Amino acid sequence: MRASTDGAGPTEIAAPGGNRLRIAERDNGSPVEPRDYRSVFTSAPAALALLDHEGLIVHANAAFAALIGDDPEALRRRPAADLLDLTADRRAGDAYREVLRGRRSRFRCTRRLKHTDGGVLWAEVSVAPLPGAPGVVLSVTDVGERRELRARLRHLQMHDTVTRLPNRALFFERLTAALDSSAYDHGATGRIGLCYLDLDGFKAINDTLGHRVGDRLLAAVAVRLTECTGAEGHLVARLGGDEFAVLVEESTGTDQVAEVARTVLDALQRPFDLDGQRLSVSASIGVVERAAAGTTATGLMQAADTTLYWAKEDGKARWTLFDPERNAHRVTRQALASTLRPAVERGEFALEYQPLVGLADGVTRGVEALVRWNHPEFGTLTPNRFVGIAEEDGSIVQLGRWVLRTACRQARQWQRDHPGAPPLFVSVNVAVRQVWDSDLVADVAEILAETGLAPRLLQLELTESAVMGSAGRPLQALQALSDMGVQIAIDDFGTGYSNLAYLSRLPVSVLKLDGSFVRGFQDEAHPNPADETIVEAMVQLAHRLGLTVTAECVETSGQAARLRRIGCDTGQGWLYSRAVPPDRIGELISAPLSA
């Protein structure tokens, strides 16, 4: 080996094979000898070892020998992979061998090593090629403290500070892992269960006794939950606020998860004693149990949340099992709610009309407008499927205005098409929210003026419960409409207050008897005298108050005959006609519908 010292800077030496190695210089300019490097290597506090291309130890320093628990000389020619478990898995083994062959720049892994004194050491092992020389250098670093700190930080991050239970993040981590393992582990049940619970009345405790007492109660609840379910190995977590979850991995079926819910419910119903302060709470629990395959964490939680809502809606202090059919109805309801307003603008609604027939002569006196929703996905929907939704979200105002305008325009068109026939009145249902959230009087006046329909040919129907007890704006609106000449009818009379004396003080002109009274007349062979007596009394009282009476749900000629004998004025039902498109009503205008 020949050294070259031309010029300044580090010394280069010729190595076998034509390679040239650059050797550093001392501060005084003289080169650092290889034995100096060896001294640094040997005395370094870090555990170091030189390996040949086969992974055998060529030289190990004192720190490495102490780590392994052997003499440095005794470690020569020992496979490093065996000492440090570098090939514990196939992926790590392949990467390690790639570094030995010079095809990879570095390999790093963390290993749990057993010390000769019986202790355990977590170490980071790094293997890298030795620059300018054959073989690789291996270093081992103790990362036990770092790992312990990381574990403590993760525990703080993944656990609730109030209850010390796993928090939402850890719960979803475990849930996702459980779904993955259950779906692919053929030796498992392949099912998963969840109890999602919420404390009833917790907000009142927080508001009246303060958050400090509330937190102590949450901690006590956590203890109860852990005691009654922890023995079975179920994960109990606090998801936030007063919401908790019990995860049943590898569920054996609905019965098992339902039993967990019952156990939790019983445990929480016992009073809590917080330093002499006795508190009682209950819980509502949503229970979901299903196959893990095809289930996502988000989907499972959505089902559990829905079921928890059902438990509260059904009366609280109970557990409720997820019902796919009930959920399908809820999903449909949500879908309808989200598309109802745009549907009016897209023209998806249509009106059909059912005749209101004079019982004495069978002549069609008017029609009731019944709205239908021609939904692009769910087909034709009747009012009971969407009117309640429209009332809840306020879209009933927009829809009601469209129904009123369309019905009045159609009634006026029938007049033009049949100038010689007595004009039909049109009856339109009005929700009480239309009175509160819009200027119904102004809307009616505008539409009547726009269509040219006489006010006496418009009848507005309101339910009995909506009209009874009316005061202030609703009563003023009804009075203004009556003064305008519009007829006011009470729909489904007999199902609510049935207070005829109160009706005498309202601007009402028509009562529509609920179909439940008329159905009592169906058994013509064995008539119920009480039904007939009640209906006859209502009809007579209504007539004395100056009101006309319409019977709904008339389906047989026998019913019609008895109602006619009692003195009922008009009838409506399948005996005469179902609700039909507007062009079919033209056929009925000139032809009486005999009963």
Side-chain angles (χ1 to χ4, degrees):
M1 183 179 294
R2 179 173 57 84
S4 171
T5 57
D6 297 337
T11 301
E12 289 188 351
I13 62 173
N19 295 323
R20 302 186 68 83
L21 302 181
R22 297 165 63 86
I23 299 179
E25 296 179 344
R26 302 177 189 274
D27 291 341
N28 60 10
S30 61
V32 177
E33 297 295 332
R35 61 177 174 272
D36 296 324
Y37 287 110
R38 189 175 293 110
S39 176
V40 172
F41 175 86
T42 302
S43 61
L48 302 171
L50 298 177
L51 312 181
D52 62 17
H53 65 277
E54 294 180 357
L56 301 178
I57 295 176
V58 176
H59 186 66
N61 68 359
F64 185 88
L67 179 74
I68 299 301
D70 209 338
D71 184 81
E73 290 299 322
L75 293 175
R76 287 179 182 273
R77 308 300 298 168
R78 297 272 300 276
D82 294 345
L83 295 171
L84 301 173
D85 199 21
L86 299 182
T87 55
D89 59 86
R90 180 178 176 181
R91 188 173 180 182
D94 289 346
Y96 171 60
R97 284 185 285 272
E98 289 287 295
V99 175
L100 293 179
R101 294 166 187 162
R103 298 175 185 171
R104 186 184 177 112
S105 62
R106 181 176 293 274
F107 165 68
R108 181 177 293 155
C109 66
T110 302
R111 288 292 181 264
R112 184 175 181 269
L113 307 176
K114 285 188 177 182
H115 199 272
T116 53
D117 62 5
V120 174
L121 170 70
W122 282 99
E124 183 179 88
V125 181
S126 180
V127 184
L130 187 62
V136 298
V137 61
L138 180 148
S139 65
V140 183
T141 305
D142 183 354
V143 293
E145 290 185 4
R146 186 198 316 168
R147 190 180 181 87
E148 185 180 344
L149 175 60
R150 190 179 301 163
R152 286 200 300 269
L153 292 175
R154 173 177 167 76
H155 186 276
L156 291 173
Q157 182 184 8
M158 294 294 189
H159 286 75
D160 175 54
T161 56
V162 174
T163 63
R164 300 184 181 180
L165 290 177
N167 61 12
R168 176 179 287 269
L170 181 53
F171 172 80
F172 273 97
E173 184 179 286
R174 281 281 299 273
L175 174 58
T176 303
L179 288 172
D180 291 342
S181 62
S182 295
Y184 298 105
D185 187 352
H186 298 292
T189 64
R191 303 190 68 80
I192 194 162
L194 176 63
C195 295
Y196 185 29
L197 62 116
D198 176 278
L199 301 182
D200 302 323
F202 178 75
K203 184 178 184 300
I205 293 175
N206 245 357
D207 292 344
T208 57
L209 302 179
H211 289 274
R212 182 173 172 273
V213 173
D215 286 350
R216 290 169 60 200
L217 177 59
L218 290 174
V221 167
V223 171
R224 289 264 182 99
L225 292 175
T226 304
E227 288 175 347
C228 70
T229 65
E232 303 297 326
H234 306 318
L235 174 70
V236 181
R238 182 191 178 197
L239 302 188
D242 60 337
E243 296 177 358
F244 296 84
V246 180
L247 180 64
V248 182
E249 301 180 46
E250 296 304 324
S251 163
T252 58
T254 300
D255 290 345
Q256 181 194 12
V257 186
E259 182 58 33
V260 171
R262 279 191 288 268
T263 302
V264 167
L265 206 59
D266 292 343
L268 295 183
Q269 284 179 340
R270 299 195 308 271
F272 290 86
D273 190 352
L274 305 180
D275 296 335
Q277 191 166 27
R278 196 174 179 84
L279 297 176
S280 295
V281 294
S282 61
S284 300
I285 308 175
V287 178
V288 183
E289 199 280 338
R290 59 178 55 171
T295 298
T296 64
T298 301
L300 189 68
M301 288 305 299
Q302 285 177 342
D305 185 62
T306 297
T307 313
L308 172 60
Y309 173 78
W310 293 342
K312 286 191 171 294
E313 189 178 46
D314 293 343
K316 302 180 180 180
R318 68 191 63 225
W319 62 271
T320 300
L321 185 65
F322 180 76
D323 181 358
E325 185 175 341
R326 185 174 180 179
N327 186 60
H329 178 74
R330 179 190 66 87
V331 171
T332 302
R333 183 180 175 87
Q334 289 179 341
L336 294 179
S338 63
T339 58
L340 206 156
R341 288 178 184 273
V344 178
E345 300 171 1
R346 289 194 297 263
E348 293 179 5
F349 290 91
L351 292 185
E352 291 184 345
Y353 301 87
Q354 189 172 32
L356 296 164
V357 179
L359 287 169
D361 54 14
V363 175
T364 300
R365 305 289 175 80
V367 293
E368 179 180 355
L370 299 170
V371 64
R372 304 287 188 258
W373 185 356
N374 297 316
H375 196 282
E377 180 180 355
F378 303 115
T380 302
L381 304 178
T382 54
N384 63 312
R385 293 289 303 277
F386 59 85
V387 166
I389 301 172
E391 290 178 348
E392 289 177 10
D393 68 7
S395 58
I396 191 66
V397 173
Q398 179 187 12
L399 177 60
R401 191 178 291 123
W402 176 87
V403 170
L404 185 63
R405 177 174 283 106
T406 304
C408 290
R409 186 182 294 126
Q410 182 60 63
R412 186 71 181 95
Q413 186 61 46
W414 285 324
Q415 282 184 282
R416 297 191 187 97
D417 295 342
H418 303 275
L424 298 180
F425 72 85
V426 63
S427 190
V428 178
N429 291 279
V430 175
V432 68
R433 188 161 184 175
Q434 290 178 256
V435 182
W436 282 107
D437 293 0
S438 68
D439 192 340
L440 181 62
V441 177
D443 288 343
V444 170
E446 177 186 337
I447 290 170
L448 291 176
E450 174 190 319
T451 60
L453 186 70
R456 64 181 178 81
L457 295 179
L458 174 62
Q459 176 175 287
L460 299 182
E461 295 186 21
L462 290 91
T463 62
E464 180 184 345
S465 58
V467 173
M468 291 301 184
S470 294
R473 183 173 178 179
L475 180 57
Q476 293 169 8
L478 294 179
Q479 189 62 60
L481 290 167
S482 179
D483 294 343
M484 193 186 300
V486 175
Q487 304 297 304
I488 306 296
I490 303 301
D491 194 16
D492 300 329
F493 186 79
T495 60
Y497 302 96
S498 303
N499 190 332
L500 286 166
Y502 186 79
L503 283 177
S504 66
R505 296 192 293 271
L506 293 174
V508 173
S509 53
V510 179
L511 290 186
K512 297 188 72 175
L513 293 181
D514 184 70
S516 59
F517 292 100
V518 180
R519 290 190 190 99
F521 291 7
Q522 283 182 339
D523 190 353
E524 298 176 25
H526 303 89
N528 187 336
D531 288 340
E532 187 166 336
T533 300
I534 292 172
V535 173
E536 184 176 11
M538 286 195 292
V539 170
Q540 290 178 357
L541 284 172
H543 284 168
R544 289 180 182 179
L545 292 172
L547 308 177
T548 61
V549 181
T550 298
E552 299 178 306
C553 300
V554 181
E555 298 180 1
T556 68
S557 57
Q559 285 174 309
R562 294 175 69 185
L563 289 167
R564 184 166 50 248
R565 184 171 63 252
I566 288 172
C568 195
D569 301 290
T570 55
Q572 176 182 0
W574 290 358
L575 172 64
Y576 305 108
S577 174
R578 295 173 182 262
V580 296
D583 56 346
R584 294 281 307 278
I585 296 298
E587 304 171 6
L588 307 177
I589 291 178
S590 55
L593 291 171
S594 61

